Amino acid sequence: MSKKVLVIGGGGRCHAIVDALSRSPQVSKIYAAPGNAGIATAAECVPIPVSDVKNLLEFAKAENIDMTIVGPEAALALGIVDAFREAGLKIFGPTKAAARIESSKEYAKDLMARHGVPTAAYRTFDNFDEALAYVKAGPIPVVIKYDGLAAGKGVVVALTLKEAEDALRDMLLDETFGKGRVVIEEFLDGPEFSFMCIVNGNRLYPLAIARDHKRAYDHDAGPNTGGMGAYSPVPFVTEEIKQTALETILQPVADTMVEEGVPFTGVLYGGLILHKGTPKVIEFNARFGDPETEVVLPRFDGDFYEFIDAAVEGREYEPKWKPETVLGVVMAAKGYPGHYEKGHTILGLKDVTTPVYHMGTGTYGDKIQTVGGRVLMVLGEGETLAAARKAAYASVNKIDCKGLFNRTDIGAREA
Ligand code: AMP
Ligand code: GLY
């Protein structure tokens, strides 16, 4: 019964996974690679980078790890799941081939088109002049996405033709992101939500719905980020909408991947938009969302190891969720998602009584300092969204760090 688990990652999502595992009666030891200052309070951190598949595998073998859970997409795209499985080790996540549902927007779009999964109309280009002519002939706003992993930053919602042209120039001529190729998409208008399902082939285990806030500043101004705050559940996503999304989007995509010989295992994350009452796909991710995981897992009511093990083995399991709302506010380094400073000392954490997940922190002597762009995810819980929001911001106000900023309107629209 006493299981040893390795969690790969060093952000807030990893901290939330470690925290959920620490509540499992079956788990006796948790390692995190590489972890961070907050994770270190609940797991033993091992300084192996997420991209060092060889050493992660050696570590897992040497320590007789019973289960490895992968957080970040970078490790998945390197084939960590394939490598662990080949070595006969249990690991939770998709294979490199299945992870293409996230790493290649073109693969995801083509798969949806072949099977009538509702999503924005699109075309793919690698030639600047052809792409520009297509944009000029169509409606504005228009959405331009770099095809490949760009850590959530390779997307431009162009509100003017000039913005669209600049984006195409960046992605196709200047090769800012690498080898240029773009997907140009119809702009869909509506509220967004995140629907994560744990998947094993055809079997889906839906998680609670969450809502992210992707833009850097209040009122959805500023650049796109990895996410500046989230909450769960999401009042406008009714049980009926969730069911429709499951039947028209998540289940058909999982089934198609099985049919096409690339069965998905792990977390299939649908970034969805409610467009004129119908859920449609904005994007897929092949992993737990960050910061969505930080508000979804605290609501999980059960043995998290049991859930993950059931999913990896394909057993039946029905996850249960606490009815309370959990809302989290990201505190990020000033300048994020652009250039930012590191090394600011964080004070006041001891005065905070609600949970705080560390996203980018390190320990220096007895001080906790900022080491990343997104630094803390500060949570509040309540019977209503408004109460959860109030609790989270009361905690945010206790944290004192001159290098950090946060949005003040997480959850405000629906509360
Ligand atoms: P993605 O990385 O594909 O999730 O895109 C990042 C953000 O850009 C999304 O969360 C949306 O806010 C916005 N976005 C992407 N595609 C579209 C679309 N087709 N219509 C409207 N907004 C979009
Ligand atoms: N919060 C969006 C993501 O995890 O990509």
Side-chain angles (χ1 to χ4, degrees):
M1 281 302 267
S2 60
K3 303 292 186 191
K4 288 166 106 179
V5 190
L6 169 64
V7 180
I8 294 173
R13 159 181 54 202
C14 176
H15 195 175
I17 294 168
V18 165
D19 190 36
L21 287 168
S22 72
R23 292 190 291 271
S24 163
Q26 303 184 55
V27 173
S28 61
K29 178 82 190 174
I30 310 171
Y31 294 98
N36 65 35
I39 294 168
T41 62
E44 183 174 333
C45 295
V46 257
I48 309 174
V50 300
S51 55
D52 189 350
V53 174
K54 187 169 161 283
N55 276 309
L56 289 168
L57 181 59
E58 271 171 26
F59 177 82
K61 278 190 201 158
E63 293 298 327
N64 291 316
I65 297 293
D66 294 290
M67 170 81 75
T68 298
I69 301 177
V70 188
E73 59 272 35
L76 298 169
L78 286 169
I80 189 165
V81 171
D82 311 62
F84 271 57
R85 282 197 192 154
E86 251 167 57
L89 295 182
K90 225 188 237 194
I91 184 161
F92 178 75
T95 59
K96 184 177 176 177
R100 282 177 69 216
I101 195 84
E102 168 168 4
S103 61
S104 169
K105 290 196 188 287
E106 195 182 6
Y107 169 73
K109 279 296 204 182
D110 285 348
L111 189 148
M112 286 188 271
R114 285 200 301 281
H115 296 273
V117 173
T119 187
Y122 75 102
R123 268 190 62 185
T124 307
F125 293 90
D126 52 20
N127 177 283
F128 174 77
D129 293 326
E130 286 169 20
L132 186 60
Y134 178 78
V135 164
K136 280 185 173 164
I140 300 283
V142 68
V143 182
I144 298 173
K145 301 186 177 184
Y146 179 74
D147 187 35
L149 281 179
K153 288 159 210 134
V155 178
V156 173
V157 180
L159 302 178
T160 63
L161 183 59
K162 164 95 174 48
E163 278 175 29
E165 191 170 338
D166 287 348
L168 291 175
R169 207 174 287 284
D170 272 358
M171 296 181 196
L172 294 176
L173 294 183
D174 298 346
E175 299 200 351
T176 312
F177 298 92
K179 193 172 164 289
R181 195 169 171 81
V182 297
V183 176
I184 300 180
E185 269 186 32
E186 167 197 7
F187 171 75
L188 299 175
D189 203 11
E192 289 174 56
F193 60 102
S194 308
F195 188 3
M196 298 184 274
C197 282
I198 288 184
V199 176
N200 183 333
N202 301 102
R203 197 189 279 275
L204 269 64
Y205 313 80
L207 304 189
I209 302 283
R211 184 164 202 202
D212 189 10
H213 294 63
K214 289 223 167 117
R215 298 298 190 106
Y217 314 129
D218 282 1
H219 314 299
D220 292 333
N224 243 313
T225 70
M228 294 298 292
Y231 58 89
S232 173
V234 181
F236 77 81
V237 184
T238 60
E239 201 44 49
E240 195 187 342
I241 292 171
K242 188 174 177 183
Q243 206 50 41
T244 304
L246 194 61
E247 285 165 16
T248 63
I249 296 171
L250 279 307
Q251 186 73 55
V253 166
D255 291 345
T256 301
M257 292 182 79
V258 171
E259 273 164 35
E260 296 184 354
V262 276
F264 192 93
T265 51
V267 180
L268 183 59
Y269 163 128
L272 311 183
I273 194 162
L274 193 63
H275 180 65
K276 298 182 177 153
T278 305
K280 294 190 173 181
V281 177
I282 294 281
E283 64 160 351
F284 283 112
N285 292 325
R287 52 174 173 81
F288 282 111
D290 192 357
E292 289 93 331
T293 303
E294 291 93 309
V295 294
V296 167
L297 293 192
R299 295 189 55 225
F300 174 68
D301 193 5
D303 177 340
F304 191 61
Y305 186 91
E306 181 62 28
F307 185 11
I308 295 296
D309 191 61
V312 170
E313 302 284 350
R315 290 195 304 273
E316 232 169 86
Y317 187 92
E318 202 175 320
K320 295 199 171 45
W321 307 95
K322 296 178 194 159
E324 285 80 14
T325 294
V326 175
L327 179 141
V329 179
V330 171
M331 299 185 77
K334 284 178 186 161
Y336 172 81
H339 176 75
Y340 56 83
E341 288 178 5
K342 299 178 184 177
H344 287 279
T345 299
I346 306 170
L347 299 173
L349 279 167
K350 288 195 186 71
D351 304 323
V352 176
T353 49
T354 62
V356 176
Y357 289 134
H358 289 225
M359 304 182 92
T361 61
T363 313
Y364 297 88
D366 57 354
K367 292 197 177 88
I368 291 187
Q369 296 193 341
T370 68
V371 299
R374 293 189 295 174
V375 175
L376 298 172
M377 173 78 159
V378 181
L379 300 187
E381 190 182 300
E383 277 180 22
T384 61
L385 177 55
R389 183 175 142 68
K390 202 172 155 199
Y393 277 105
S395 293
V396 167
N397 288 333
K398 289 181 185 160
I399 289 170
D400 177 13
C401 177
K402 66 177 186 321
L404 297 180
F405 79 102
N406 59 270
R407 277 181 65 158
T408 65
D409 66 344
I410 303 303
R413 207 179 304 164
E414 274 206 287

